[in-house]
Amino acid sequence: MSAASSRKPAPNAVTADEVLAAHFTLANVPGAIEAIVLDGASGWTSPNPHPVLSLMRWTTPDPAQAAADLDTVLERFRPERRGFDWMTGPRCAEAGLTELMAERGFVPPALQVAAMVKELGPECLDAEEAVDGYRICRAPDDDRQAWQLMASGFDVPEEVGEAYHRAYVTASPHQRTDVYKAETTSTADIAAVGYLSWIADGANVLLRVSATAEQHGGKGLYRALVLARLAEAARRGARRAFVHAYSEWSQRALAQLGFSEVGRLQLHRWRA
């Protein structure tokens, strides 16, 4: 565990569990995402059986309720031999809930995810960076190239990328998402994509997935897309930006842009 994840948060500081909760804001989208709400857990599944399209989290620290809800989800998916993921934060670890995963045969080890936060101020407005040969702009909600690139970047089928794309851009009282892209100035080919979600009233934003086409890697497009989304969030009055950083590379890149790790999340996998 990092020093950042072991420190007690300062009063009124954002916690890793808040960053976790910001991810679980998707609404029902017929054909793409079906919400699951239990007494002590929430998440979603999909008509598509790919395991990354079924994701849950606990909303209770009570071990008995947590065990009951975990078993409910297992009873739903086990007969279909459908895999799914479960994300936990520090509160779950403190309550001993992660031990329930090992007892039920989740695949070890859990993937470690850094919950990172950046305070947004006027400096974000002037921090955007141009990349020669590319332009950063909003992508239309129905931009097929966006979800194709997302799927390719995460090595999942195109229909998985489309399902998440549709879920992201479907607005609800809990979230609304804008899609940004980097495209070549010569041919307007999409080179990178990133999603910016406004959580609830918009005081906080979540930088969701980002992906860069392999042939356009190493040009600084990831950094440029982060800075463009932060600038837009600041312009529209957001105060904080959250992100889930899955790799050491992204953690280092985000730290260089002013993000701080506030704790560790864990992604647990159950596979039939």
Side-chain angles (χ1 to χ4, degrees):
M1 180 178 290
S2 70
S5 61
S6 61
R7 289 195 303 265
K8 290 185 178 180
N12 301 318
V14 175
T15 68
D17 287 296
E18 289 178 83
V19 178
L20 168 63
H23 184 62
F24 285 83
T25 49
L26 301 182
N28 278 314
V29 181
I33 292 292
E34 173 196 341
I36 300 175
V37 180
L38 303 174
D39 290 338
S42 68
W44 57 75
T45 186
S46 171
N48 186 313
H50 196 287
V52 303
L53 282 170
S54 296
L55 179 64
M56 297 293 297
R57 63 146 179 163
W58 277 304
T59 57
T60 178
D62 177 68
Q65 184 64 62
D69 288 335
L70 178 56
D71 288 338
T72 294
V73 175
L74 283 167
E75 289 167 7
R76 172 170 178 169
F77 290 140
R78 188 181 280 124
E80 304 172 20
R81 300 188 61 79
R82 177 186 289 221
F84 65 94
D85 295 337
W86 199 291
M87 187 167 274
T88 61
R91 189 176 71 154
C92 293
E94 292 166 3
L97 304 189
T98 53
E99 298 173 7
L100 300 172
M101 304 293 186
E103 294 169 2
R104 287 156 175 79
F106 277 71
V107 179
L111 177 64
Q112 300 294 316
V113 182
M116 304 187 77
V117 177
K118 177 180 173 64
E119 299 289 334
L120 302 180
E123 71 281 358
C124 295
L125 301 174
D126 302 317
E128 292 182 85
E129 294 181 358
V131 180
D132 188 44
Y134 299 88
R135 59 176 162 261
I136 308 295
C137 56
R138 281 279 303 277
D141 288 351
D142 60 352
D143 190 336
R144 182 173 184 175
Q145 286 186 316
W147 72 69
Q148 288 177 325
L149 180 51
M150 188 212 323
S152 175
F154 287 87
D155 194 26
V156 295
E158 180 183 333
E159 57 267 25
V160 174
E162 181 181 5
Y164 268 121
H165 177 96
R166 289 177 57 197
Y168 293 155
V169 301
T170 299
S172 76
H174 305 293
Q175 74 96 44
R176 60 191 189 282
T177 297
D178 298 329
V179 187
Y180 288 79
K181 65 179 177 179
E183 62 182 18
T184 59
T185 53
S186 58
T187 62
D189 290 335
I190 189 168
V193 63
Y195 293 74
L196 175 64
S197 293
W198 306 83
I199 305 303
D201 63 2
N204 300 319
V205 296
L206 174 65
L207 275 62
R208 292 195 190 267
V209 293
S210 181
T212 301
E214 184 176 1
Q215 65 269 32
H216 297 285
K219 305 290 180 60
L221 296 178
Y222 175 87
R223 177 184 175 94
L225 270 173
V226 170
L227 291 171
R229 286 177 285 170
L230 294 179
E232 182 61 20
R235 272 192 291 269
R236 292 164 61 178
R239 296 194 296 271
R240 298 185 189 90
F242 301 162
V243 68
H244 296 175
Y246 284 81
S247 69
E248 292 185 2
W249 180 90
S250 63
Q251 291 164 28
R252 290 194 300 270
L254 290 163
Q256 291 172 359
L257 295 175
F259 281 84
S260 299
E261 182 180 330
V262 297
R264 285 285 164 136
L265 311 176
Q266 293 185 319
L267 187 68
H268 308 263
R269 299 163 297 161
W270 191 87
R271 299 295 183 261

